[in-house]
Amino acid sequence: MLHTPGLLALFVAKLLSTFGSWLTLLALPWFVLVTTGSPVKMSAVLAAEFLGVATLGLPSGKVVARLGVRRTMLICDAARVPLMALIPLLHQTGWLSLPALLAVSFSLGAFTAPYVSSQRLILADLLGPTRGTDEKLLARANSLIDGATRIAALAGPALGGLLIALLGPAQVLWIDAGTYLVSFVILAAFVRPPATVEAGTDRESSRASHEQAATFAGLRHALRHRALRLFVLALTLVTISVPAIFICLPVLVMDDLGGDPRTLGLLIAANGAGLAIGSLVAVTGLGRMNNTALTGGAMLQCAPLWLLLVDQTFIMASGLFLVGLATPLLAATINTRVTLRTPAPIRPHVMTAVTTTENLGAFVGYTAAGPALQLSGLRTVFAAIATLAALGAITFAMALRADHSRPAVPSQRPREPKQHRHTPAIHEPAAGTECNP
């Protein structure tokens, strides 16, 4: 798979930009918490980015369909370089305020849905018209690119905690701006999918092409398809719970674990270690896993979250490690099945709808976590997180059952407009939460 043109470059670009995003995921909430002392303001700044995704995610499907996935990714990378650099720049000049942070965070979110959707869709293009319809091969390709996120999740938090202690949180954000720039250069130079084939004239493709212009075509398709509907619901439940963890951890470290940012980096790095190892398992073994094994993976993702109720660093780190171990298997499965259960002409709309729903869940998690911490305390919030994740795992198992023996939708793509065929395009960065996190 690494011999597929552009796939290794996409992996490297994703690795670098996601590394920077993890630095921001630590530095930005720590910066807000240290300067304001308010968990509510901290969660508001993080939630603003996901509000940008939720607000502009669905309309961005038209942008992806019109520009193409590669060009969309490049535009998003190029735009996020100055946006991310604006935060430390304003801090140095003394003009940084909470409204400015909220505005920048919202603007960053506006580019997230088209970027992430394009990144997921470009894999089938890179593999080609024949290999791109092979579910096992596409699942491994998704696992490989997700692996870049997981490896960065291991190194980013550990190094981020150290850099925050040495340089301060505002200075660390310069590094994230630089990773977006490097990602742009790599994608522009090396990631070039082969020319696509003219779409057939079968009834499914004709109907999908007719719906392509509709902003809500992707959402309608996902809601009509029982398995996709359940997959999206499972993803939403998990993405409500996971961001809340990253809101709780800085408060836990500040209040109960000595206030050392290196401890925060260690906890998140434990999750990153699980993600990195889980990605290797997914790349090598996902094609051989049946629905029973995937259901076991879903249980492994949710059950260890109850360990967060134990007030000991080692036990909490172990729980976060086990959660990370299962995540790549489930993420690659959902991305692959959404791609192959969708007619090619409306894939940009469906994938942006899925990405928007996913980030809307993250927005709810970030928004609710801060007030919930002040009202109920850490223990109650951690219990709610584990409960939501368990519901997500059950829903994922139901989706696997509903999807069993369903044929994949033919994967031909319509030819892109001629003016985009030979022009250099613009490409993708990496997001912080797939926690995207």
Side-chain angles (χ1 to χ4, degrees):
M1 211 167 9
L2 289 177
H3 290 110
T4 300
L7 192 57
L8 182 58
L10 183 63
F11 174 87
V12 173
K14 180 69 173 173
L15 179 66
L16 291 173
S17 57
T18 307
F19 172 78
S21 295
W22 274 103
L23 294 182
T24 298
L25 187 61
L26 260 69
L28 191 56
W30 192 266
F31 172 74
V32 177
L33 190 60
V34 168
T35 54
T36 68
S38 171
V40 174
K41 291 180 180 179
M42 176 184 67
S43 63
V45 170
L46 293 176
E49 181 173 354
F50 293 95
L51 181 61
V53 179
T55 303
L56 303 174
L58 287 177
S60 71
K62 281 188 175 182
V63 176
V64 177
R66 182 171 299 136
L67 296 179
V69 290
R70 180 175 180 270
R71 190 179 303 259
T72 301
M73 293 170 74
L74 286 168
I75 290 173
C76 291
D77 262 346
R80 288 188 286 187
V81 173
L83 280 173
M84 182 56 67
L86 191 60
I87 298 176
L89 181 62
L90 289 176
H91 176 68
Q92 287 183 348
T93 59
W95 291 354
L96 186 62
S97 63
L98 181 61
L101 272 173
L102 294 173
V104 171
S105 192
F106 179 89
S107 300
L108 288 168
F111 293 97
T112 297
Y115 171 81
V116 173
S117 302
S118 298
Q119 178 193 32
R120 292 170 178 172
L121 292 170
I122 202 172
L123 292 176
D125 292 347
L126 290 173
L127 291 172
T130 301
R131 299 168 73 218
T133 60
D134 185 328
E135 183 168 318
K136 293 182 178 180
L137 188 60
L138 184 58
R140 292 179 63 203
N142 270 300
S143 300
L144 179 66
I145 299 305
D146 279 347
T149 303
R150 316 311 179 190
I151 293 170
L154 173 61
L159 184 57
L162 179 61
L163 290 175
I164 291 171
L166 292 176
L167 305 176
Q171 302 304 318
V172 171
L173 299 177
W174 285 110
I175 300 175
D176 192 11
T179 59
Y180 283 129
L181 178 60
V182 175
S183 174
F184 171 87
V185 172
I186 292 174
L187 295 172
F190 300 109
V191 180
R192 297 179 178 276
T196 54
V197 181
E198 186 78 34
T201 58
D202 57 273
R203 183 176 302 175
E204 185 72 25
S205 293
S206 298
R207 183 181 66 82
S209 297
H210 178 71
E211 288 188 346
Q212 185 174 0
T215 298
F216 294 97
L219 187 60
R220 285 199 300 268
H221 175 79
L223 291 176
R224 284 197 300 256
H225 193 295
R226 173 172 163 75
L228 293 188
R229 184 168 65 245
L230 289 171
F231 278 129
V232 172
L233 178 58
L235 187 63
T236 303
L237 289 169
V238 172
T239 52
I240 290 174
S241 60
V242 170
I245 296 174
F246 293 95
I247 290 292
C248 293
L249 289 181
V251 177
L252 174 72
V253 171
M254 185 78 72
D255 293 346
D256 299 336
L257 300 179
D260 190 340
R262 288 172 291 189
T263 303
L264 176 62
L266 175 64
L267 288 172
I268 300 180
N271 180 251
L275 291 169
I277 296 172
S279 294
L280 293 176
V281 174
V283 171
T284 57
L286 184 57
R288 296 189 294 273
M289 290 185 180
N290 57 23
N291 285 352
T292 301
L294 291 172
T295 299
M299 297 301 112
L300 180 61
Q301 187 187 45
C302 71
L305 287 174
W306 293 100
L307 295 177
L308 296 177
L309 294 172
V310 181
D311 193 14
Q312 293 186 20
T313 302
F314 176 77
I315 293 177
M316 298 181 76
S318 300
L320 291 170
F321 171 82
L322 293 173
V323 170
L325 195 64
T327 298
L329 300 173
L330 311 186
T333 298
I334 292 176
N335 291 336
T336 299
R337 300 202 184 190
V338 168
T339 300
L340 295 183
R341 303 305 184 258
T342 304
I346 61 168
R347 279 183 189 167
H349 296 282
V350 173
M351 196 59 79
T352 51
V354 172
T355 303
T356 300
T357 305
E358 178 183 358
N359 282 273
L360 184 59
F363 169 73
V364 172
Y366 277 128
T367 304
L373 283 171
Q374 288 193 336
L375 291 174
S376 304
L378 276 168
R379 293 284 184 280
T380 302
V381 176
F382 277 142
I385 288 170
T387 301
L388 283 172
L391 292 174
I394 294 170
T395 308
F396 178 82
M398 294 170 58
L400 291 174
R401 188 183 181 104
D403 193 54
H404 185 63
S405 77
R406 249 190 106 88
V409 176
S411 178
Q412 286 181 304
R413 292 178 65 95
R415 181 177 299 162
E416 290 188 0
K418 187 177 244 181
Q419 59 267 31
H420 299 321
R421 176 70 61 86
H422 300 296
T423 40
I426 307 185
H427 198 39
E428 148 188 88
T433 2
E434 266 131 331
C435 121
N436 271 162

